[in-house]
Amino acid sequence: MRGNGCRQALSHIRQALAGDMSVWKDRPDLLWLQYLYATRQNDYNRARYTHLSQVDSRESLRYTQRTLEHLCSAAGDWSGEERDTAALVLCWAEAAKGGMPRERKAWQEQGISLIDHAEGSAALYRRSLGRPPTGEEGAVSLLIRLHGALGQYLQGEISPESGTLPFTSPEGLTELKNICQRDGYPFSHFCRVLALVSECVLAGVSPRLAEQHRTALDTLAAGRLLPTLSPAQRAERLCGGPVILSPPAEDLLRRRDLWYADGVLRAMGPLRGPAFLEALAASLTPAGPPARLPAGTLLDWRPGAMLSLKSLQDRLYFYAAGPSGGERRTDHCVLAMAERAMETGRFAPTDHLAFSLSPTGTEIALCTSLTPIGEAIDQFYQALVMSDITHNRAILAVFDQLGYRPDIFARVGNEDQYLAHMNSAADDKRRLLEFIRDGDRVLDVGPGGGVLLELIGRERPRCTLAGADVSAEVCLRLRQRAEAEGLPWQVIHSDFLALDPEETGRFNAIVFCSIIHEIFSYTPYRGRRFNKAVIPKILEAASALLAPGGRVIIRDGVAADQDPPVLLEFLDGELEALAQDYLRQFRGFPLRTQTPEETGVPHRYRMPQNSMMELLYTVTWGRESLPFEVEEWYGYYSEADWRTLAESLAAPGGLRLVYFTQYLQPGYVEHLAGRVRITGEDGRPLPFPNSNMVAVFQKEE
């Protein structure tokens, strides 16, 4: 019976999520499910999520599940055949986001795109057939390629000239009709299925989107042309308001798809967005042929002037051995180029970064400098630093386009793995709820994407919720999410230490969930970072914002009261190499480590216990997060430190420590078990130290 494809696909997904991995055995038609289930990629949908702690470790599979669920209930006169074809398209639409690392590497070597996942997914579908596609299968492949194009059109992300969505130009629509006629597939049927797929894709991001764009969906289903967007109209949709464009920016919008830059443009808005478009236009000139790196060579770094990226520069650095064995600072862009070159044997040049290769025996010296375009982009970034908006998304957009790995400084490369090793963020944060009363006015400091706010709202529905963050971008995304999902959150854009009690009112609970260590690590206080004098100031500021009887609830890292020397032996070479990089680069406090050369035992290090805690629980994040993590001091206070601080705050009307506990998140043990051995100096095995604590202070009545 036709029309059951959607329910069958959902049944297979539920079996897989329940742990039945035999569901796809000997089923090439279910390879899509195997790929999405087995992925180790960070496959979150950026339009749906604003913070990685919200993301399910198999988000693309969950997203596919949501689109299929909408398909099953989609209203309209869709035939069973149309629903089955749409189900097949939706099943394969995200496939290129999946796969194990070896599979993905093989796909790249075979020319399957992992950047344009729609094209890559279509190629994987065709490959699964094991033979040339029929006319109907060719149509399915084309539908997979186009499955997200309507959403990109609606956001202004695609150009009418790019051909990404044929319905935006007469030439594109004519070509699409010819393809359908050539393959013997009814054009009217193709249009209806594409409209149905597009509706499900929009609903998979937000159920409200499909209803908001019903007219565009009806136009698609009828096979008619969508209105062509001018550069100004595209810019208005991308930036969220009317803009004034320069000729280079207009030309860019006329000829280029910008699906990779939508986030930064919305964050910058109509005033700053055009400046980014102009800088982006300068950076996207055609690249020249790649330079080949001779096989078996080593690299010696000689970096010249690099993109300064001002506010991020201090935390984005690596060390590399020079010819004399010393260390020198090198730029993350160059590192990314070198890593790609070592893997592929090629250096891909860019328009903003010039380099030359100088062979010296078995080594290759890499010399780098900024091009005039690079200088212009650098100046643009510096100007952004002086504004009230963070520019991470601008960097991500340009680096995505130029091929650099943004995960070198954003945790997008491995946070899914980290969350898989650790208990889910929401589960661990749930322990904070017992200190929040239903009906409290709650302030979440550093709310990120709103995970904790969402949890409190669900478990304590009568609470009034607010989030405060110093980042304009975080606040913008939080407001957008609250508006899109109808969440009654107040969003406060401010440095916490600068919050005015008269403006924000009195709170019954203020929550610092893994945020005090970031304030302590990144915020210069009295002229320097890692200044413990800021911690009492944070508590004093919180007290001023609390109503009598209100509580300050803190979840963060914890140091041990006693800090004896311990012996740490690495059983995993890759983990040890990562630890060695961490020991060189950590910026928080002197780790006082003796290396294997000093202990006289291979792979054995001697260090204080708290230094070991910082080291081990940082390397759990993986190499991609190292540049970020070496800037953070996680276990800044022990239990004794917190109790000493409590004594200083216990004046009449002040804060009193009413609860304290510390614990070890089991995910650390799961990740590190069998990879390290910890003993005392007497050789006796030692347990992993505690990683986290929860402290609750209450304001005197």
Side-chain angles (χ1 to χ4, degrees):
M1 178 185 295
R2 298 299 298 250
N4 288 330
C6 178
R7 291 180 176 81
Q8 290 173 356
L10 285 171
S11 175
H12 294 320
I13 290 175
R14 286 191 287 268
Q15 284 179 259
L17 291 175
D20 181 6
M21 289 178 283
S22 66
V23 63
W24 55 71
K25 185 178 181 182
D26 300 323
R27 292 285 303 271
D29 59 312
L30 293 182
L31 277 173
W32 60 270
L33 179 57
Q34 180 181 345
Y35 295 152
L36 294 180
Y37 182 86
T39 183
R40 293 297 180 268
Q41 294 301 112
N42 180 20
D43 56 355
Y44 66 97
N45 184 309
R46 296 192 190 192
R48 181 177 173 84
Y49 296 107
T50 58
H51 194 270
L52 291 176
S53 59
Q54 298 173 298
V55 179
D56 188 285
S57 60
R58 293 189 176 91
E59 166 55 21
S60 285
L61 182 56
R62 299 286 189 183
Y63 170 78
T64 299
Q65 185 178 26
R66 290 194 300 272
T67 61
L68 288 166
E69 287 170 347
H70 182 84
L71 175 61
C72 285
S73 60
D77 59 343
W78 312 106
S79 68
E81 182 181 1
E82 288 169 336
R83 289 181 186 269
D84 281 350
T85 304
L88 182 58
V89 172
L90 293 171
C91 287
W92 281 95
E94 305 293 302
K97 292 183 179 179
M100 296 294 284
R102 286 185 180 179
E103 285 179 307
R104 295 181 63 79
K105 185 177 181 181
W107 294 346
Q108 274 188 307
E109 292 172 351
Q110 295 159 13
I112 294 176
S113 175
L114 303 185
I115 297 175
D116 183 349
H117 83 273
E119 176 60 42
S121 297
L124 290 173
Y125 164 72
R126 292 192 299 271
R127 197 181 68 164
S128 74
L129 300 174
R131 51 172 172 71
T134 65
E136 182 174 355
E137 291 163 346
V140 169
S141 174
L142 185 55
L143 286 163
I144 294 170
R145 284 178 53 196
L146 296 177
H147 77 274
L150 180 65
Q152 293 175 328
Y153 160 81
L154 294 170
Q155 297 290 349
E157 298 170 16
I158 60 176
S159 162
E161 296 181 9
S162 69
T164 301
L165 182 59
F167 292 78
T168 58
S169 71
E171 297 80 11
L173 199 57
T174 298
E175 183 179 358
L176 181 61
K177 290 178 180 178
N178 291 337
I179 290 173
C180 289
Q181 184 177 4
R182 181 197 67 197
D183 293 341
Y185 196 81
F187 175 69
S188 59
H189 186 63
F190 183 96
C191 295
R192 283 175 56 84
V193 174
L194 180 59
L196 180 55
V197 166
S198 300
E199 176 182 333
C200 297
V201 167
L202 293 174
V205 176
S206 170
R208 297 171 60 184
L209 279 177
E211 290 308 312
Q212 290 173 359
H213 299 293
R214 179 58 55 191
T215 300
L217 289 167
D218 291 343
T219 300
L220 212 64
R224 298 194 302 268
L225 276 173
L226 292 163
T228 300
L229 301 181
S230 68
Q233 289 173 316
R234 284 189 65 196
E236 183 173 352
R237 295 191 181 198
L238 285 166
C239 299
V243 298
I244 299 175
L245 296 173
S246 67
E250 278 195 18
D251 184 58
L252 174 77
L253 288 161
R254 189 173 292 108
R255 60 189 173 85
R256 290 271 193 171
D257 287 348
L258 295 176
W259 49 266
Y260 48 83
D262 61 313
V264 59
L265 289 165
R266 287 191 197 94
M268 290 181 177
L271 293 179
R272 297 186 183 89
F276 175 77
L277 287 169
E278 190 165 355
L280 194 60
S283 73
L284 297 183
T285 55
R292 180 170 292 280
L293 178 70
T297 58
L298 302 174
L299 286 171
D300 166 37
W301 305 102
R302 298 179 187 175
M306 297 279 80
L307 290 177
S308 53
L309 306 178
K310 297 298 182 184
S311 67
L312 294 180
Q313 186 180 33
D314 287 342
R315 75 182 72 163
L316 308 181
Y317 69 98
F318 286 85
Y319 287 91
S324 61
E327 293 178 348
R328 64 162 62 88
R329 186 171 174 134
T330 189
D331 184 84
H332 54 286
C333 299
V334 181
L335 183 71
M337 287 173 56
E339 287 181 343
R340 286 209 312 265
M342 297 295 255
E343 293 176 359
T344 64
R346 290 176 177 270
F347 273 107
T350 71
D351 296 300
H352 76 279
L353 186 64
F355 64 87
S356 61
L357 301 173
S358 303
T360 57
T362 59
E363 293 188 346
I364 295 290
L366 173 64
C367 304
T368 60
S369 63
L370 288 176
T371 66
I373 292 174
E375 294 282 3
I377 297 175
D378 187 40
Q379 292 173 12
F380 172 70
Y381 287 143
Q382 292 182 42
L384 281 179
V385 176
M386 305 305 294
S387 69
D388 62 352
I389 184 168
T390 57
H391 58 287
N392 297 34
R393 289 184 181 272
I395 301 166
L396 282 171
V398 174
F399 281 16
D400 279 346
Q401 181 64 20
L402 297 178
Y404 294 143
R405 293 181 352 182
D407 56 305
I408 286 177
F409 61 92
R411 298 180 187 178
V412 301
N414 72 330
E415 187 154 343
D416 55 339
Q417 296 177 27
Y418 175 80
L419 293 174
H421 291 312
M422 308 300 289
N423 290 338
S424 72
D427 285 344
D428 195 55
K429 292 174 181 178
R430 191 178 299 277
R431 66 178 68 231
L432 306 181
L433 292 177
E434 63 180 284
F435 307 105
I436 298 174
R437 296 163 292 226
D438 205 7
D440 279 351
R441 185 164 187 243
V442 182
L443 175 66
D444 181 11
V445 181
V451 175
L452 186 57
L453 289 172
E454 182 179 16
L455 181 63
I456 297 170
R458 186 167 60 246
E459 302 289 335
R460 303 287 189 269
R462 294 192 297 116
C463 283
T464 302
L465 303 177
D469 204 289
V470 71
S471 166
E473 182 181 327
V474 168
C475 291
L476 174 65
R477 297 302 173 192
L478 206 60
R479 288 191 186 100
Q480 288 175 337
R481 184 185 172 200
E483 181 179 347
E485 300 181 24
L487 301 168
W489 298 343
Q490 179 189 5
V491 180
I492 304 170
H493 176 211
S494 174
D495 180 347
F496 176 75
L497 293 176
L499 283 178
D500 186 344
E502 297 299 322
E503 293 184 8
T504 58
R506 295 283 182 166
F507 294 95
N508 308 106
I510 299 176
V511 185
F512 296 91
C513 189
S514 291
I515 196 66
I516 289 183
H517 82 269
E518 294 198 4
I519 299 174
F520 164 68
S521 297
Y522 291 116
T523 304
Y525 183 69
R526 294 177 181 170
R528 64 184 178 91
R529 293 168 55 195
F530 305 111
N531 186 351
K532 290 188 177 181
V534 76
I535 298 168
K537 288 297 180 183
I538 292 171
L539 273 289
E540 291 169 9
S543 180
L545 295 166
L546 280 178
R551 294 172 173 177
V552 178
I553 305 163
I554 303 168
R555 170 187 173 271
D556 221 325
V558 66
D561 288 329
Q562 303 299 319
D563 196 18
V566 296
L567 300 177
L568 173 64
E569 183 177 352
F570 284 93
L571 310 177
D572 181 310
E574 183 179 349
L575 191 68
E576 182 178 6
L578 179 59
Q580 290 171 343
D581 288 341
Y582 175 83
L583 290 171
R584 286 199 302 270
Q585 300 178 29
F586 181 61
R587 302 284 288 271
F589 63 93
L591 296 174
R592 303 193 307 277
T593 303
Q594 291 181 341
T595 65
E597 290 74 20
E598 295 167 303
T599 63
V601 180
H603 313 298
R604 179 178 291 176
Y605 299 73
R606 183 178 185 271
M607 65 185 72
Q609 177 176 310
N610 285 330
S611 297
M612 180 193 67
M613 186 278 284
E614 291 286 339
L615 166 66
L616 286 184
Y617 298 161
T618 296
V619 297
T620 300
W621 281 87
R623 181 165 293 280
E624 290 85 355
S625 287
L626 187 66
F628 194 90
E629 292 298 317
V630 295
E631 301 291 339
E632 296 184 11
W633 181 349
Y634 190 53
Y636 53 92
Y637 259 15
S638 67
E639 180 173 351
D641 293 328
W642 281 111
R643 294 192 181 279
T644 300
L645 175 60
E647 292 175 4
S648 70
L649 298 172
L655 296 175
R656 179 170 56 91
L657 183 65
V658 296
Y659 178 86
F660 190 95
T661 189
Q662 53 181 299
Y663 59 96
L664 171 61
Q665 285 188 279
Y668 287 120
V669 179
E670 294 168 11
H671 180 73
L672 295 167
R675 306 178 74 188
V676 297
R677 182 183 295 121
I678 307 170
T679 62
E681 294 197 291
D682 58 3
R684 294 182 180 179
L686 295 176
F688 287 98
N690 286 332
S691 59
N692 289 74
M693 67 86 197
V694 173
V696 180
F697 291 81
Q698 185 162 327
K699 187 172 182 177
E700 296 291 343
E701 297 282 355

